[in-house]
Amino acid sequence: DAKTTQPPSMDCAEGRAANLPCNHSTISGNEYVYWYRQIHSQGPQYIIHGLKNNETNEMASLIITEDRKSSTLILPHATLRDTAVYYCIGSNYQLIWGAGTKLIIKP
Amino acid sequence: DSGVTQTPKHLITATGQRVTLRCSPRSGDLSVYWYQQSLDQGLQFLIQYYNGEERAKGNILERFSAQQFPDLHSELNLSSLELGDSALYFCASSLTGYSGANVLTFGAGSRLTVL
């Protein structure tokens, strides 16, 4: 199971792109990278996932390095509602959830 | 509304008591997962069921047990409750029980307070 490492907190100005890094150097070749977020004490919400290629959906973009040892979640135009804890997890996610990154969007 | 229903939303009980938390998965999902989240902590995986069978087990205490019924709803039973069991308990569901491209949908959680 991939163990992931994320910065404990980050700030971003409203309207700017928020770039959240994640290190997953132990990820195996067939293991996906998932991103979820948790707003206050609500249930975590799925954002995006990827294996090798970069991915984009209506919420975010996911950039995975060629060696797959790290990735970056990009929220293109952050709003105050994007303030949350963001979790990056490997495929066998039911076992290992770290502390995530607390992202604070500032007006 | 995520489609995953958890009841009750809030529960206050005393030490030594027993409680049951219930989860109805999203329509069509076969797998159910239970997680515990203590104050300001990350999610701790407890147990996973797929189509009625236990699929994976995490750091679930012996005082806790769970099951998934034929209609696919699941119950998490917590007994001999201690103060430290106070936490948010989340249920999640997914279409399959396999790791890989398998997105989890979470419920709103059940907040347990043990006094």
Side-chain angles (χ1 to χ4, degrees):
Chain A
D1 301 343
K3 186 176 183 303
T4 61
T5 304
Q6 300 176 255
S9 65
M10 293 181 63
D11 292 344
C12 179
E14 188 178 19
R16 305 298 293 268
N19 295 280
L20 291 88
C22 178
N23 184 295
H24 35 79
S25 57
T26 61
I27 199 169
S28 60
N30 62 353
E31 201 168 355
Y32 285 75
V33 176
Y34 285 78
W35 285 82
Y36 289 79
R37 73 180 183 185
Q38 185 175 25
I39 297 173
H40 194 45
S41 295
Q42 298 176 21
Q45 175 192 25
Y46 165 78
I47 301 173
I48 198 168
H49 73 283
L51 183 61
K52 295 180 183 177
N53 301 319
N54 299 336
E55 302 288 344
T56 295
N57 63 21
E58 64 279 4
M59 289 183 68
S61 294
L62 175 60
I63 308 297
I64 302 174
T65 58
E66 194 168 339
D67 62 9
R68 299 203 342 113
K69 291 185 177 181
S70 66
S71 61
T72 301
L73 178 75
I74 301 172
L75 307 178
H77 305 287
T79 71
L80 298 179
R81 288 178 297 178
D82 292 322
T83 291
V85 177
Y86 288 76
Y87 296 97
C88 163
I89 46 184
S91 231
N92 210 0
Y93 41 74
Q94 56 264 41
L95 297 180
I96 302 175
W97 286 64
T101 294
K102 185 170 185 177
L103 176 66
I104 299 173
I105 307 300
K106 298 190 172 182
Chain B
D1 182 3
S2 68
V4 177
T5 304
Q6 289 189 247
T7 56
K9 286 186 169 52
H10 301 276
L11 190 55
I12 301 174
T13 189
T15 55
Q17 295 298 304
R18 171 189 171 96
V19 298
T20 298
L21 309 180
R22 181 187 169 101
C23 171
S24 294
R26 199 178 57 147
S27 178
D29 286 354
L30 298 178
S31 197
V32 169
Y33 308 74
W34 285 98
Y35 294 83
Q36 179 191 56
Q37 186 174 37
S38 301
L39 188 62
D40 294 331
Q41 301 293 313
L43 277 77
Q44 297 292 322
F45 168 69
L46 296 177
I47 199 163
Q48 177 202 359
Y49 284 85
Y50 174 70
N51 208 18
E53 300 289 328
E54 183 182 303
R55 174 59 61 90
K57 203 175 220 183
N59 295 324
I60 187 167
L61 300 172
E62 285 191 10
R63 299 184 287 109
F64 297 180
S65 65
Q67 62 184 118
Q68 186 179 28
F69 294 87
D71 67 352
L72 301 177
H73 92 272
S74 177
E75 292 181 357
L76 178 67
N77 299 297
L78 315 174
S79 61
S80 302
L81 286 168
E82 302 175 358
L83 296 177
D85 297 328
S86 294
L88 271 169
Y89 291 83
F90 288 106
C91 169
S93 70
S94 67
L95 180 61
T96 76
Y98 301 94
S99 59
N102 191 26
V103 174
L104 296 184
T105 303
F106 283 82
S110 293
R111 182 178 293 279
L112 173 66
T113 302
V114 182
L115 301 176

